[in-house]
Amino acid sequence: MHIVADYINRYGYFVLFLGLMLEMLAPPLPGEAIMSYAGLFVFQGKMNWLLSIVLAAAGSSLGVTLSYGIGYRLGMPFFEKYGRRVHLGPERLRKTSEWFARYGNKLLIFAYFIPGIRHMTGYFSGVTRIPFRTYMLYAYSGALIWTGIFITLGKILGPKWEVFHRVIGKYLLIAGILAALVFLAMYTYKTKKTQIFSFAERALGRGAALFHSFGRMRLFIVFMFAVFIALSALTIGLIQDFIASEFAEFDEVAAFIVHVVFAPGWDAALNFFARLASVQVYTALAVLTAARILAAGKDRRLEAGFLAFVLLGAELWEEGLRRFFHRFGPLDTPDTFPSEPALVTLAVFGFCAYLSLRHRTAVWLRYAARAVTVAAALLTGLSRIYFDAEYPSDVAAGLVFGGVWVSLNVILLELFRILRTGKVEARCKRE
């Protein structure tokens, strides 16, 4: 690694551009290390941050363009014949080509964060004849995101980069894989929609016909169920990591980054965000949502009942979890896992926003409400890390557990609504 640093110190931008270009052609070059050391030199004032990102992204883009051209020009027969020399035997080539052709070019954005995959995507894009304009859009965007993240992290971490590089690389790899899995789930839903609906209808039993008649709402319920399953899986993973005491490195790196990015001048702003997690704010939101429910005039008792259940249940849910895990925070504050402010803020803001906009048709309002909900929960959790009240893993767990609670209750609310509508329709038929 010191050789890489020495070359960058001598030749700067040229090594950054050339190294990233060559790495995309599959030679075993440490592209992430090159970018991170470039970020370190940006921290030291030896290189320009924006110019480094532009040249690194340009080098990566040129590399994947060349690999695309090679794959397009040589085609499948060449790789079947000579692929073994670059660890691409016929069987591996066949499986990878099938996988790549099936799941599409959008994975190009996430592939940069997965070693071994990013080196092959250009070749297989050419072999599978993905239109170059489409390929260029996703591949170049992914290159800019990938290089920007690593160079910026090198700039932020400075001399600490060598200490934290392995941990950051691990979590970026996990994030890339998770993002790819989310895309695969969306792709599977899009291509297997009929089978998914059939399974959901069978699972609902007597309510199958009614569920089938609900059109877009059944799609939403299936989507929320997928979100609930994914968050539940994350919950299990977090609990396993907690039991195995594997949060230390993550907490150290994440807390360091937060304190570097948010200097002491952010005290006033983060104090404001911390106040979002207050009884006064929760009460005001609940009152406004209740007023909206009464004004809407649809399923008032059902929605009001669920609102009360979610708000009270969120408090009981987080209290029980914190007392069960019984973890001490950075300032020896007891019971910080999961973060109470992050969990309750996400639950309250999320469910209140859902109920308030459930009967609205404006799509932009729904997206805006989701963005505000996520931002409120993240900023509330960020303030806890900034003031050393909780560990980053406490906040992460609070967001995940809060997401589980919200998604579960949204599903239950809509299923109760379907069942209630079915009972009303059955009563009308009898009369």
Side-chain angles (χ1 to χ4, degrees):
M1 290 297 180
H2 292 292
I3 296 176
V4 174
D6 184 57
Y7 273 106
I8 296 176
N9 192 33
R10 289 185 183 183
Y11 306 108
Y13 300 111
F14 176 75
V15 171
L16 182 62
F17 176 87
L18 185 64
L20 270 296
M21 183 199 75
L22 292 175
E23 201 216 0
M24 291 298 103
L25 294 172
L29 292 175
E32 293 173 354
I34 292 173
M35 291 185 289
S36 299
Y37 273 116
L40 174 61
F41 287 128
V42 171
F43 174 84
Q44 296 173 347
K46 298 178 180 178
M47 297 176 70
N48 179 270
W49 173 69
L50 183 58
L51 181 59
S52 298
I53 293 176
V54 169
L55 288 175
S60 300
S61 299
L62 178 59
V64 294
T65 301
L66 293 174
S67 63
Y68 174 92
I70 293 171
Y72 191 94
R73 185 76 174 176
L74 298 179
M76 191 72 75
F78 176 86
F79 284 94
E80 288 179 346
K81 186 175 181 179
Y82 299 105
R84 292 186 185 277
R85 299 182 182 180
V86 289
H87 307 292
L88 282 175
E91 184 62 20
R92 185 177 180 185
L93 179 67
R94 182 185 64 80
K95 290 181 179 179
T96 309
S97 296
E98 289 176 356
W99 179 86
F100 198 79
R102 178 181 300 174
Y103 297 120
N105 44 53
K106 295 180 182 63
L107 287 175
L108 290 167
I109 295 177
F110 315 120
Y112 285 93
F113 296 93
I114 307 175
I117 299 295
R118 64 170 171 263
H119 304 98
M120 296 295 107
T121 52
Y123 294 110
F124 286 108
S125 296
V127 168
T128 54
R129 297 296 196 266
I130 289 178
F132 182 69
R133 288 185 179 180
T134 304
Y135 172 77
M136 180 176 63
L137 173 65
Y138 292 106
Y140 292 3
S141 298
L144 183 61
I145 294 170
W146 180 56
T147 56
I149 286 176
F150 270 94
I151 291 175
T152 302
L153 282 173
K155 175 180 179 292
I156 291 172
L157 295 173
K160 290 274 189 178
W161 174 82
E162 289 189 345
V163 178
F164 295 147
H165 175 261
R166 182 184 62 82
V167 180
I168 289 175
K170 181 180 77 172
Y171 284 107
L172 285 175
L173 172 61
I174 292 172
I177 293 173
L178 286 175
L181 289 175
V182 169
F183 170 77
L184 292 178
M186 295 173 63
Y187 176 86
T188 302
Y189 171 76
K190 184 178 179 180
T191 57
K192 305 291 184 181
K193 188 184 299 184
T194 303
Q195 295 91 321
I196 293 172
F197 282 160
S198 298
F199 173 79
E201 288 170 6
R202 289 195 301 272
L204 284 173
R206 293 181 179 179
L210 187 62
F211 178 76
H212 183 77
S213 68
F214 263 69
R216 292 179 63 183
M217 183 49 63
R218 65 178 181 150
L219 183 148
F220 175 75
I221 293 173
V222 171
F223 170 76
M224 288 305 300
F225 184 73
V227 171
F228 172 72
I229 293 297
L231 291 173
S232 298
L234 279 177
T235 298
I236 294 171
L238 285 169
I239 292 173
Q240 290 175 337
D241 288 347
F242 177 85
I243 294 172
S245 301
E246 294 184 357
F247 287 135
E249 289 182 333
F250 170 78
D251 288 334
E252 184 181 4
V253 174
F256 179 82
I257 291 174
V258 168
H259 285 103
V260 169
V261 173
F262 297 93
W266 283 81
D267 283 13
L270 290 169
N271 262 317
F272 169 78
F273 296 133
R275 293 192 191 99
L276 293 176
S278 64
V279 175
Q280 293 84 352
V281 173
Y282 297 154
T283 303
L285 273 175
V287 170
L288 290 173
T289 305
R292 175 60 188 165
I293 291 171
L294 294 174
K298 296 181 180 180
D299 297 325
R300 294 176 180 174
R301 291 177 61 184
L302 180 65
E303 292 187 353
F306 260 91
L307 175 62
F309 176 74
V310 169
L311 298 184
L312 294 174
E315 287 288 345
L316 296 174
W317 171 237
E318 60 83 15
E319 184 71 18
L321 287 169
R322 289 189 301 113
R323 289 184 179 274
F324 176 80
F325 292 111
H326 196 61
R327 181 191 196 185
F328 284 87
L331 302 177
D332 289 331
T333 307
D335 303 334
T336 61
F337 183 92
S339 167
E340 176 186 6
L343 190 156
V344 178
T345 299
L346 182 59
V348 173
F349 275 68
F351 202 74
C352 286
Y354 177 74
L355 288 178
S356 298
L357 301 174
R358 167 64 173 75
H359 306 292
R360 292 288 188 95
T361 57
V363 176
W364 71 270
L365 272 176
R366 296 180 183 179
Y367 281 109
R370 292 168 191 166
V372 170
T373 297
V374 173
L378 287 175
L379 291 170
T380 299
L382 184 65
S383 69
R384 305 293 290 176
I385 300 171
Y386 178 83
F387 292 115
D388 293 318
E390 293 173 346
Y391 291 113
S393 55
D394 297 331
V395 173
L399 295 173
V400 173
F401 287 129
V404 168
W405 183 247
V406 172
S407 58
L408 173 63
N409 281 282
V410 168
I411 294 168
L412 291 175
L413 170 61
E414 295 308 330
L415 290 178
F416 269 96
R417 200 190 305 271
I418 289 174
L419 294 174
R420 180 177 177 178
T421 303
K423 290 179 181 179
V424 172
E425 290 181 357
R427 190 182 304 120
C428 291
K429 288 179 180 179
R430 288 196 302 269
E431 294 174 354

